[in-house]
Amino acid sequence: HPALLEGMWGAFELDLDALVAAAPEAVEFEELSPYPEVRQDLAFVVDEDVPAAALLEAIRKAAGPELRSLAVFDEYRGEQIGEGKRSLAFRVAFGSQERTLTDEEAGELRGRIVAALADRFGAVLRA
C-alpha cells in the first residue's frame, strides 16, 4: 500500500500481447560495408523559416543510395549570417558496398547536394 512506502513511487502496466502485435514481422537490416566512408561537414545559410527537416529530405534525395548517414549538428544565427537567416550544419557520410569512393565521386555527391539545396531553398554553402 502506498501509505506504507516512503518516497515517491510509480507503477505501470505493460501489455505484452499488444506490444508483440505492434512489432514488425520482418526485421530489416543493411550489411555493413567493408569499405571506408567519406565523411564531410556541410554548412548552409538559409532563410530563418526553412525547416531543417526539409533540408534533410532534400539532401537524402540529392545524394541517393551512396548516402550512409546524415545528421544536423549545428545551428548558428548572428551578424555574420545576416538578418532573417540561419546557418545549419550537416554531417554526411558517403559509401559503397562494392568499393571505396574516389575523391571525385564524393565531390560529385557534394555538388549534387549543394545544387539541390540552392535550387530548392536558395541555400548558400558556407566556406
Side-chain angles (χ1 to χ4, degrees):
H1 188 274
L4 300 176
L5 301 173
E6 292 185 31
M8 299 199 51
W9 292 86
F12 67 92
E13 184 176 320
L14 183 60
D15 185 344
L16 290 177
D17 291 331
L19 185 60
V20 169
E25 290 185 28
V27 177
E28 294 183 30
F29 74 96
E30 185 174 325
E31 189 174 327
L32 293 176
S33 175
Y35 303 102
E37 294 179 336
V38 177
R39 296 180 183 164
Q40 297 182 358
D41 293 341
L42 306 172
F44 294 93
V45 176
V46 295
D47 289 336
E48 186 75 40
D49 61 348
V50 175
L55 294 169
L56 287 167
E57 178 185 334
I59 290 171
R60 282 188 189 98
K61 186 175 179 182
E66 288 86 10
L67 183 68
R68 293 290 175 232
S69 65
L70 170 63
V72 177
F73 73 90
D74 188 44
E75 178 180 33
Y76 173 78
R77 291 177 178 89
E79 292 179 17
Q80 294 174 327
I81 303 300
E83 183 89 19
K85 301 282 187 182
R86 68 179 173 162
S87 171
L88 289 170
F90 302 90
R91 182 157 291 135
V92 297
F94 307 118
S96 170
Q97 292 285 56
E98 290 82 38
R99 60 189 168 69
T100 301
L101 296 179
T102 65
D103 289 340
E104 292 79 22
E105 290 168 324
E108 180 184 325
L109 292 167
R110 176 186 170 136
R112 290 189 344 217
I113 291 169
V114 171
L117 296 187
D119 290 345
R120 186 164 172 200
F121 304 104
V124 176
L125 183 66
R126 284 185 72 189

